């Protein structure tokens, strides 16, 4: 029976020969309200400093990514910033931003949300990314904040 990996398991992986760095991450299917329409996005909880060392595409076009562990602000992908492929802007640095997701409570689903401001916007990455790499529709939070709001350490 697989019970899952925990954030602290990355310390064990880091100690294994030939592993340079283990980076724990949380992924959560969420949605945002974009001009009255619900748009699916993936929220990622990552250690910003280590994540940017592995993925050079995790770099800002605008704003600053705080490396503080308890950072609670959002970093958003470029298509959330400019989703219509023209000069109109949906969200900018210092704008309020909200993500929503569902959790099961017994036999029911409850809606949860988190609201804060946008600290930074990633440069356009393009293409399709797999395996947790940065992407243009990604929403990024510090690992600690994601663990807290999604109520998980797995």
């Amino acid at each position: 029976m697989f019970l899952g990996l925990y954030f602290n398991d990355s310390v064990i992986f880091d100690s294994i020969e030939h592993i340079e760095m283990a980076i724990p991450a949380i992924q959560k299917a969420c949605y945002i309200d974009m001009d009255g329409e619900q748009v699916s996005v993936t929220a990622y909880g990552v250690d910003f400093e280590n994540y940017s060392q592995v993925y050079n595409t995790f770099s800002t076009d605008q704003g600053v990514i705080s490396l503080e562990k308890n950072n609670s602000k959002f970093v958003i992908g470029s298509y959330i910033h400019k989703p219509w492929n023209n000069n109109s802007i949906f969200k900018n640095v210092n704008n309020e931003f909200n993500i929503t997701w569902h959790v099961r409570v017994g036999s029911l689903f409850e809606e949860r949300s988190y609201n804060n401001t946008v600290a930074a916007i990633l440069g356009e990455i393009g293409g399709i990314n797999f395996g947790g790499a940065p992407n243009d529709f990604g929403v990024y939070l510090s690992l600690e904040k994601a663990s807290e709001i999604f109520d998980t350490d797995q």
Side-chain angles (χ1 to χ4, degrees):
M1 174 194 241
F2 181 70
L3 299 176
L5 295 173
Y6 294 86
F7 301 144
N8 291 337
D9 291 339
S10 65
V11 174
I12 296 168
F13 291 119
D14 276 339
S15 68
I16 297 173
E17 187 177 357
H18 304 297
I19 292 182
E20 292 180 29
M21 183 186 309
I23 301 176
I26 296 173
Q27 285 184 273
K28 186 74 167 176
C30 297
Y31 60 91
I32 60 174
D33 180 18
M34 190 175 283
D35 289 344
E37 294 199 28
Q38 288 184 349
V39 176
S40 296
V41 297
T42 302
Y44 299 90
V46 296
D47 178 307
F48 289 145
E49 184 173 13
N50 289 338
Y51 195 69
S52 64
Q53 288 177 26
V54 172
Y55 297 107
N56 64 355
T57 54
F58 192 72
S59 60
T60 62
D61 188 46
Q62 296 178 38
V64 176
I65 299 173
S66 170
L67 301 180
E68 293 178 24
K69 297 292 183 194
N70 291 328
N71 176 20
S72 60
K73 293 185 177 183
F74 290 104
V75 175
I76 61 173
S78 66
Y79 290 177
I80 296 173
H81 170 60
K82 286 185 176 178
W84 299 285
N85 203 19
N86 59 26
N87 289 330
S88 56
I89 293 173
F90 174 64
K91 290 293 176 184
N92 219 336
V93 172
N94 296 321
N95 286 168
E96 289 290 315
F97 191 73
N98 188 70
I99 56 173
T100 305
W101 66 96
H102 292 96
V103 297
R104 183 183 290 267
V105 179
S107 61
L108 303 174
F109 284 96
E110 290 184 5
E111 187 174 273
R112 304 272 168 85
S113 64
Y114 178 70
N115 187 60
N116 209 313
T117 57
V118 174
I121 300 164
L122 299 179
E124 185 173 350
I125 297 165
I128 299 172
N129 297 314
F130 298 99
N135 67 76
D136 294 319
F137 270 110
V139 175
Y140 303 87
L141 291 160
S142 71
L143 186 61
E144 290 76 9
K145 180 50 73 176
S147 175
E148 175 190 322
I149 67 170
F150 298 137
D151 192 28
T152 186
D153 60 352
Q154 287 186 299

